């Protein structure tokens, strides 16, 4: 058996996309796909462990956003912060969260607001405690520093801008 090993190449989900000028971008995309699905599963299962099963990943994101800084959010606020184009999906999440008594409707002048309820705040706190115990503790046991995570986060946010611009360009073709 030979000691030489064939080069495997980049780890990607679509080899034809990795043949272009920037194969590493396909590696990043595959990583994002894997991370996105794992993060969705995590949010749903952590929220179920916190006592609220049957929420979608979007429902969980919307709930946490409404809880953020304890101030009311409009539909437009939520969509802007979460970079969601399809407002009807957030509107549906708001109705679902209100039916579960996790949020309530309010007003600021003529604007309709989504406000966190005491129950919603309690669920978010339980979620945060479970997150600390199961996710944060395991990450702290690795060599990944807060600085590294912050750098990765900044680069991913910047990369999202490139994808947004490219999607606008593609829509005009």
């Amino acid at each position: 058996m030979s000691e030489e090993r064939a080069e495997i190449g980049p780890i990607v989900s679509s080899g034809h996309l990795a043949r272009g000028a920037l194969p590493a971008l396909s590696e990043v995309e595959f990583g994002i796909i894997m991370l996105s699905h794992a993060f969705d599963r995590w949010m749903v299962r952590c929220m179920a462990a916190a006592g609220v099963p049957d929420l979608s990943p979007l429902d969980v994101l919307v709930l946490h956003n409404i809880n953020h800084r304890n101030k009311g959010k409009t539909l437009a606020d939520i969509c802007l912060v979460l970079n969601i184009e399809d407002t009807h999906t957030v509107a549906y999440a708001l109705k679902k969260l209100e039916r579960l008594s996790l949020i309530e409707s309010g007003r600021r002048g003529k604007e309709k607001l989504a406000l966190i309820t005491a129950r919603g705040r309690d669920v978010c706190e339980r979620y945060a405690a479970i997150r600390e115990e199961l996710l944060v503790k395991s990450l702290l046991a690795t060599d990944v520093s807060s600085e590294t995570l912050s750098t990765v986060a900044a680069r991913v946010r910047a990369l999202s801008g490139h994808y947004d611009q490219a999607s606008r360009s593609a829509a005009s073709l």
Side-chain angles (χ1 to χ4, degrees):
M1 186 172 230
S2 170
E3 292 293 318
E4 292 181 34
R5 294 176 53 177
E7 182 159 333
I8 295 172
I11 307 296
V12 299
S13 65
S14 304
H16 63 283
L17 299 178
R19 287 193 299 260
L22 195 55
L25 185 58
S26 291
E27 290 183 274
V28 169
E29 290 170 345
F30 187 50
I32 290 170
I33 291 165
M34 302 296 290
L35 178 61
S36 175
H37 292 298
F39 184 56
D40 285 353
R41 273 190 307 277
W42 159 253
M43 286 188 294
V44 167
R45 291 180 181 156
C46 185
M47 189 56 75
V52 186
D54 302 324
L55 290 187
S56 72
L58 180 60
D59 298 335
V60 177
L61 290 172
V62 169
L63 179 63
H64 285 303
N65 181 260
I66 294 167
N67 189 51
H68 179 63
R69 296 194 176 151
N70 198 30
K71 63 183 212 183
K73 309 288 189 311
T74 65
L75 175 65
D77 294 335
I78 296 164
C79 290
L80 178 66
V81 170
L82 297 178
N83 196 21
I84 296 172
E85 201 172 88
D86 299 324
T87 59
H88 69 278
T89 60
V90 175
Y92 180 77
L94 292 171
K95 288 177 187 174
K96 184 175 180 180
L97 295 170
E98 191 165 8
R99 274 194 316 270
L100 294 169
S101 301
L102 299 171
I103 66 168
E104 60 190 6
S105 294
R107 293 237 172 247
R108 178 175 56 215
K110 293 183 179 185
E111 289 184 307
K112 184 177 178 182
L113 298 176
L115 305 159
I116 196 78
T117 62
R119 179 172 187 257
R121 192 172 302 106
D122 181 55
V123 166
C124 287
E125 289 300 319
R126 285 196 309 266
Y127 182 105
I130 293 165
R131 181 178 176 272
E132 282 292 316
E133 185 63 31
L134 300 180
L135 184 62
V136 173
K137 277 187 178 179
S138 77
L139 273 172
L140 288 172
T142 70
D143 290 335
V144 178
S145 68
S146 289
E147 295 80 17
T148 299
L149 287 175
S150 290
T151 299
V152 168
R155 289 188 178 157
V156 169
R157 286 190 306 272
L159 192 57
S160 76
H162 291 283
Y163 278 95
D164 277 340
Q165 180 57 46
S167 70
R168 284 190 291 277
S169 296
S172 70
L173 294 178

